[in-house]
Amino acid sequence: LTRPSFSESTRRQSRRQTAPWLRAPNSPPCQDQHTIAAPRRTPHALSTMLSFPAVALGFASGGPLLAPRVCSVNGVSTRQQPEPWRTAVLSATGCEDAVDNAAAEYCWKIEYIPRADLLNPVPPRMPADELEVHLCSTSASLEYTFTFPGEYQTCVTTEASEEACVVLQNRYVHRHVMSLTQAEFDEYAGAHNTLRNTSTADGRAAFGHRCLDADEDFHTHDAFVSLHLFSSYANRTSADRSHFLMLQEPAHLAWTMLAQKALRCVA
């Protein structure tokens, strides 16, 4: 060992003074311009961590280790939460290590979780046979279409493995139009054309049974144009003044929500 030179000793002393995690407790913070800030998790990193569902692992006793996951939705592997009426690919053993065990039969239980805080804890139009679904397969992967929005307790088990469960959030997702697949864009554009070319009465007769809450969710496109026009010029013949009121923002959000509900009757 050799004694450090003066310059090396000085540099080490400087590090002790400037690095917050090397200072003695209760010592005043250093005001040196070279102070090194302690690393922090960014909000983006935190939101990324929170975007993955918590999984209760099924420990193996001679069988495969179970860790149910959503591996893709509508054929897109970056989507890891289900979406209403889109085909999701589930894996019992994780997406990266999804290996079938020829000796295992994977049995799934997918159960809708009622919302006690809502007027209707279960969607009124949800069929009873969709509240709890049981499926078994010799493949670790399962294609399944979640229907009504909400949370679903999704569990998988084998004879030689303990049950593993995860709560999946089945939600509609707002995406930029350029993030849609070609098939999704065609479906979206077709639904808009249907709203533009179908009267409210004809639309409810043809698509009302497919609406999320009631047949009355369907409105022709002109209904939303009328809402916008007459509310903007109500009691005013000279100019549009409603867009300068505080009401304009929630009003536009409300009309957009109604338009989305109408589109969901079709697409």
Side-chain angles (χ1 to χ4, degrees), residues 5 43 66 88 166 239:
S5 65
L66 302 180
V166 62

Side-chain angles (χ1 to χ4, degrees), residues 66-104:
L66 302 180
R69 287 281 193 277
V70 175
C71 297
S72 69
V73 177
N74 230 24
V76 182
S77 60
T78 55
R79 302 177 185 177
Q80 297 184 340
Q81 287 283 7
E83 299 173 23
W85 286 279
R86 304 294 188 192
T87 301
V89 176
L90 307 176
S91 174
T93 55
C95 300
E96 296 179 358
D97 302 317
V99 178
D100 291 341
N101 186 329

Side-chain angles (χ1 to χ4, degrees), residues 114-252:
R115 288 279 304 276
D117 57 322
L118 298 181
L119 177 63
N120 296 305
V122 174
R125 292 194 161 192
M126 189 172 192
D129 58 0
E130 292 182 8
L131 293 176
E132 185 173 323
V133 177
H134 295 263
L135 298 167
C136 290
S137 171
T138 56
S139 173
S141 297
L142 174 71
E143 288 191 359
Y144 186 77
T145 301
F146 293 84
T147 55
F148 285 79
E151 295 185 345
Y152 290 77
Q153 175 89 354
T154 304
C155 300
V156 62
T157 185
T158 69
E159 289 187 359
S161 301
E162 295 183 10
E163 184 179 61
C165 296
V166 62
V167 175
L168 298 176
Q169 297 180 349
N170 187 36
R171 300 284 191 270
Y172 284 107
V173 179
H174 290 176
R175 288 192 175 90
H176 191 282
V177 68
M178 298 303 293
S179 299
L180 302 177
T181 66
Q182 185 61 51
E184 289 171 342
F185 177 81
D186 292 343
E187 186 180 18
Y188 171 71
H192 260 293
N193 288 333
T194 299
L195 259 63
R196 292 181 64 88
N197 300 317
T198 308
S199 68
T200 296
D202 291 344
R204 290 176 179 176
F207 305 104
H209 66 285
R210 299 174 55 181
C211 296
L212 199 60
D213 298 315
D215 292 6
E216 290 72 25
D217 286 352
F218 185 94
H219 297 274
T220 187
H221 183 270
D222 287 347
F224 305 109
V225 178
S226 299
L227 276 173
H228 193 217
L229 178 65
F230 291 115
S231 62
S232 299
Y233 286 87
N235 300 322
R236 298 181 178 89
T237 58
S238 59
D240 169 18
R241 300 178 183 176
S242 295
H243 282 90
F244 296 94
L245 301 177
M246 294 181 66
L247 177 64
Q248 68 91 16
E249 184 173 355
H252 283 81

